[in-house]
């Protein structure tokens, strides 16, 4: 058991706390005690570690094309043990995988997919001469969100590879990518020379203005949709690595952080992004726990996490997205969500699995398992969660509770100063104080409403402005096609569900789950 826990701890970069699993219910709450939860099977197979190694190798190969390679990419402290509380002070200036907190750090981020399909996706990346430091494919074109074939009338891909045809099983969908780049203008300059047809009229203004549109408008992403590469229809978004890491670690827009809170296929990895994304995933779990009651199921947890990025999304309000989207994502990818989050849950001190099914061999790969969990509702421990929320997001929550608790401005400013993360001269363990405990001790529905309000406020404007930017960067024709297809998805979401498993309504911050009767 100890070897298993040590392995999981290495994979996630977290050390198992001295107090771990939920013991018998005491005083109306599940308490944390010695030992661990019921889930003691290893979460990562050899294939997962191989996926990680290959994406890291691909990333290092791609980064050699960059114009400004770092001289510090070789680290000498390979044997340095990970710090006990790496997420208190993550070093986002690292440039090599050997500088991560542990050798297996972040393996949970790598999803296992069909080998030929993965190679087909990687071959698409090699059609871009501009250096891509980090890349992932995401969405329904990679991870199915419905059973059966698509209702699409016309074929999507002009000449897809057999691997893509096989994986999409007749329900062909455009494949979405995000490319992380080091130098925005330089990247677009090279890409405009090679792929001018990918851009709308904005491309004729040159790489400088294209980069300004990307970095200074919306969520910092420049999308080129409906592009055919290797006979496959794709959409790719370009983002600067600094913008990506900032959103992952601070949640200033949740635009890309929200996408990476769901299973994605990382094709080229970057150590700095891997570290920032592990912070993002931990933050997603903590936020979901603040929204959930004392006991809940895996499906409820993953649905809450997946729903974060859609709470303030304008597409959910204007009939341009399937209202059952979150339910579809989680229902058809439960095992991938488990691979992403179960190792993190295993190492958090205030939540644990409490399901005997977790003792079964290979339970993590069983899509029919919907394990039960419980969290400790002690305000002190939940106050620590509040204190460890991402900086930009946490400050918004603090301001809402300043108004609610009627805290004088001077006293509130002093409290913010004392809890600042900007002091680099000393290590600060982010432990919640009286204010955070007050927030965490708020009535559950009131706390849920406040946290949901902050999520909506964080997402709404960046998503809205990014959607407006899309009209300019994609052009009128592609925008019309995009809206037409989204409208079709919305109509599909209005139809009665046939599988009867899960239905979830998004909008107005409400969620509804229907569990299929066995």
């Amino acid at each position: 058991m100890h070897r298993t826990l040590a392995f999981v701890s290495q994979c996630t970069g977290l050390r198992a706390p001295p107090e771990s699993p939920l013991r018998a219910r005491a005083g109306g709450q599940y308490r944390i005690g010695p030992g661990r939860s019921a889930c003691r099977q290893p979460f990562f197979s050899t294939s997962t570690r191989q996926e990680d190694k290959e994406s890291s190798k691909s990333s290092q190969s791609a980064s050699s094309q960059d114009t400004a390679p770092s001289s510090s990419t070789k680290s000498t402290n390979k044997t340095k043990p990970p710090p006990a509380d790496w997420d208190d002070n993550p070093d986002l200036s690292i440039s090599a995988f050997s500088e991560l907190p542990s050798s297996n750090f972040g393996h949970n981020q790598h999803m296992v997919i069909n080998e030929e399909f993965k190679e087909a996706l990687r071959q698409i990346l090699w059609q871009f001469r501009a250096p891509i430091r980090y890349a992932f494919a995401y969405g329904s074109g990679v991870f199915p969100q419905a059973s059966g074939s698509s209702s699409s009338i016309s074929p999507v891909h002009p000449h897809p590879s057999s691997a893509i045809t096989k994986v999409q099983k007749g329900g062909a969908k455009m494949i979405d990518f995000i490319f992380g780049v080091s130098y925005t203008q330089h990247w677009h300059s090279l890409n405009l020379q090679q792929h001018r047809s990918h851009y709308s009229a904005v491309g004729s203004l040159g790489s400088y203005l294209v980069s300004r549109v990307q970095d200074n408008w919306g969520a910092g992403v420049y999308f080129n949709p409906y592009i055919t590469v290797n006979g496959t229809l794709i959409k790719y978004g370009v983002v600067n690595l600094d913008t990506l890491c900032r959103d992952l670690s601070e949640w200033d827009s949740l635009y890309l952080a929200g996408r990476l809170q769901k299973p994605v296929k990382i094709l080229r990895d970057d150590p700095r992004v891997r570290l920032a994304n592990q912070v993002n995933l931990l933050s997603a779990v903590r936020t979901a726990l603040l929204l959930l009651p004392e006991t809940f199921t895996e499906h409820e947890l993953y649905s809450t996490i997946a729903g974060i990025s859609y709470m303030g999304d304008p597409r959910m309000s204007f009939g341009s997205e399937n209202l059952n989207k979150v339910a579809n994502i989680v229902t058809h990818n439960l095992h991938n969500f488990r691979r992403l989050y179960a190792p993190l849950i295993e190492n958090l001190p205030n939540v644990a699995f409490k399901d005997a099914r977790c003792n079964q061999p290979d339970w993590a790969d069983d899509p029919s398992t919907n394990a039960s969990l419980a969290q400790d509702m002690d305000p002190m421990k939940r106050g620590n969660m509040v204190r460890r929320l991402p900086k930009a997001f946490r400050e918004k929550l603090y301001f809402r509770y300043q108004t609610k608790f009627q805290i004088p401005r001077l006293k509130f400013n002093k409290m913010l100063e004392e809890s600042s993360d900007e002091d680099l001269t000393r290590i600060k363990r982010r432990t919640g104080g009286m204010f955070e405990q007050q927030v965490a001790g708020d009535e559950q529905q009131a706390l849920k409403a406040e946290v949901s309000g902050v999520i909506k406020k964080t997402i709404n404007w960046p998503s809205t402005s990014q959607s407006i930017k899309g009209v300019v960067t994609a052009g009128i024709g592609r925008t019309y096609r995009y809206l037409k297809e989204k409208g079709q998805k919305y109509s599909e979401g209005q139809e009665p569900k046939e599988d009867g498993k899960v239905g979830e309504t998004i909008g107005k911050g409400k969620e509804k789950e229907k569990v299929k009767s066995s």
Side-chain angles (χ1 to χ4, degrees):
M1 181 185 73
H2 294 298
R3 285 195 296 269
T4 299
L5 287 177
F7 178 63
V8 172
S9 180
Q10 287 180 341
C11 289
T12 59
L14 291 170
R15 290 187 178 178
E19 65 247 276
S20 293
L22 297 168
R23 295 175 65 185
R25 195 178 175 94
Q29 295 181 344
Y30 286 93
R31 292 299 179 188
I32 305 295
R36 259 319 283 172
S37 64
C39 300
R40 296 173 183 173
Q41 304 298 330
F43 293 102
F44 300 116
S45 62
T46 303
S47 59
T48 307
R49 296 192 290 275
Q50 184 65 22
E51 293 269 330
D52 181 19
K53 183 183 296 184
E54 289 179 2
S55 64
S56 301
K57 187 182 298 182
S58 176
S59 175
Q60 291 166 357
S61 174
S63 66
S64 65
Q65 308 170 37
D66 216 328
T67 56
S70 171
S71 60
S72 62
T73 54
K74 293 184 179 180
S75 175
T76 58
N77 58 347
K78 293 182 179 180
T79 59
K80 183 179 179 181
D85 298 299
W86 66 267
D87 60 317
D88 280 338
N89 296 272
D91 181 9
L92 296 179
S93 65
I94 63 174
S95 58
F97 288 99
S98 57
E99 296 177 277
L100 288 168
S102 65
S103 59
N104 292 320
F105 185 87
H107 277 200
N108 56 307
Q109 299 175 24
H110 287 268
M111 301 295 108
V112 177
I113 63 173
N114 176 275
E115 196 69 25
E116 294 179 352
F117 182 49
K118 178 183 69 177
E119 185 57 31
L121 297 178
R122 283 187 172 156
Q123 287 300 319
I124 290 174
L125 298 187
W126 287 113
Q127 302 308 307
F128 293 84
R129 289 199 294 266
I132 300 170
R133 295 291 300 272
Y134 181 82
F136 65 87
Y138 67 100
S140 57
V142 182
F143 299 95
Q145 297 176 11
S147 302
S149 61
S150 169
S151 58
S152 176
I153 299 175
S154 58
V156 172
H157 307 298
H159 304 288
S161 69
S162 58
I164 291 176
T165 302
K166 180 180 178 181
V167 168
Q168 296 195 340
K169 298 177 182 177
K173 294 180 181 292
M174 181 169 64
I175 298 177
D176 299 335
F177 293 86
I178 292 293
F179 299 161
V181 305
S182 298
Y183 308 100
T184 307
Q185 183 179 351
H186 174 67
W187 196 92
H188 284 294
S189 176
L190 295 176
N191 201 48
L192 280 165
Q193 293 176 29
Q194 183 187 9
H195 298 302
R196 173 61 186 88
S197 61
H198 290 188
Y199 293 78
S200 66
V202 177
S204 62
L205 301 176
S207 61
Y208 175 78
L209 286 176
V210 169
S211 64
R212 296 285 74 74
V213 169
Q214 174 183 315
D215 293 333
N216 299 333
W217 189 0
V221 189
Y222 193 104
F223 281 107
N224 284 327
Y226 301 105
I227 306 300
T228 300
V229 179
N230 285 359
T232 303
L233 191 69
I234 72 169
K235 175 181 75 176
Y236 66 91
V238 184
V239 62
N240 188 280
L241 285 179
D242 291 337
T243 301
L244 175 59
C245 289
R246 184 172 60 252
D247 192 35
L248 290 173
S249 60
E250 298 185 13
W251 284 15
D252 57 353
S253 73
L254 267 171
Y255 191 82
L256 292 170
R259 280 162 172 74
L260 281 161
Q261 288 164 6
K262 296 177 277 290
V264 303
K265 180 55 198 170
I266 298 172
L267 302 168
R268 286 184 189 167
D269 207 350
D270 178 87
R272 189 158 60 111
V273 179
R274 189 190 292 189
L275 177 60
N277 192 33
Q278 202 75 340
V279 173
N280 173 46
L281 297 176
L282 265 177
S283 300
V285 174
R286 288 170 175 148
T287 302
L289 291 176
L290 292 174
L291 295 170
L292 288 166
E294 185 175 358
T295 59
F296 48 91
T297 64
E298 273 190 296
H299 200 292
E300 290 171 328
L301 172 63
Y302 304 147
S303 295
T304 302
I305 292 173
I308 288 174
S309 61
Y310 294 107
M311 281 190 184
D313 193 332
R315 295 176 302 172
M316 308 308 300
S317 303
F318 294 104
S320 57
E321 192 56 89
N322 188 334
L323 293 179
N324 293 309
K325 190 174 183 69
V326 169
N328 292 338
I329 292 172
V330 177
T331 300
H332 297 282
N333 292 279
L334 186 64
H335 61 293
N336 284 324
F337 274 96
R338 184 179 294 137
R339 182 183 297 275
L340 192 60
Y341 288 107
L344 299 175
I345 295 168
E346 275 286 296
N347 287 276
L348 286 174
N350 59 321
V351 61
F353 290 93
K354 62 178 191 70
D355 200 310
R357 286 174 294 183
C358 298
N359 288 320
Q360 299 175 2
D362 301 323
W363 78 274
D365 294 321
D366 182 3
S368 65
T369 298
N370 183 20
S372 301
L373 300 94
Q375 63 170 317
D376 194 330
M377 302 299 281
D378 178 14
M380 181 176 294
K381 293 183 179 179
R382 285 169 68 81
N384 291 339
M385 286 202 304
V386 171
R387 179 65 186 85
R388 288 167 178 256
L389 292 175
K391 178 185 174 184
F393 184 84
R394 184 180 71 237
E395 289 178 354
K396 293 186 183 79
L397 183 64
Y398 282 3
F399 278 112
R400 289 180 75 98
Y401 271 96
Q402 180 213 4
T403 302
K404 181 172 183 176
F405 295 155
Q406 298 181 341
I407 301 174
R409 185 72 185 191
L410 289 177
K411 181 179 179 182
F412 181 72
N413 289 341
K414 182 180 179 181
M415 180 197 70
L416 287 183
E417 184 179 346
E418 291 174 349
S419 65
S420 174
D421 298 332
E422 301 304 316
D423 186 358
L424 301 180
T425 63
R426 62 192 180 98
I427 301 296
K428 302 177 71 174
R429 179 175 176 81
R430 293 188 288 165
T431 304
M434 290 300 298
F435 176 73
E436 286 84 5
Q437 293 174 27
Q438 237 184 317
V439 171
D442 197 8
E443 192 272 326
Q444 180 60 30
Q445 290 304 314
L447 176 61
K448 183 176 181 179
E450 296 294 343
V451 173
S452 298
V454 174
I455 293 172
K456 293 175 185 177
K457 184 177 180 180
T458 300
I459 292 172
N460 188 265
W461 175 243
S463 293
T464 301
S465 55
Q466 183 70 42
S467 297
I468 296 171
K469 180 170 78 172
V471 177
V472 177
T473 59
I476 301 298
R478 291 172 179 171
T479 299
Y480 174 76
R481 180 178 177 181
Y482 174 81
L483 292 175
K484 184 178 178 180
E485 291 182 1
K486 287 296 182 180
Q488 182 182 3
K489 288 184 178 181
Y490 176 81
S491 299
E492 290 174 355
Q494 298 295 93
E495 296 174 359
K497 295 176 70 64
E498 295 180 359
D499 59 10
K501 285 187 178 178
V502 181
E504 185 173 60
T505 302
I506 311 171
K508 300 182 180 179
K510 295 182 179 179
E511 297 178 353
K512 183 178 180 182
E513 180 177 337
K514 303 173 187 176
V515 181
K516 183 178 180 181
S517 56
S518 56

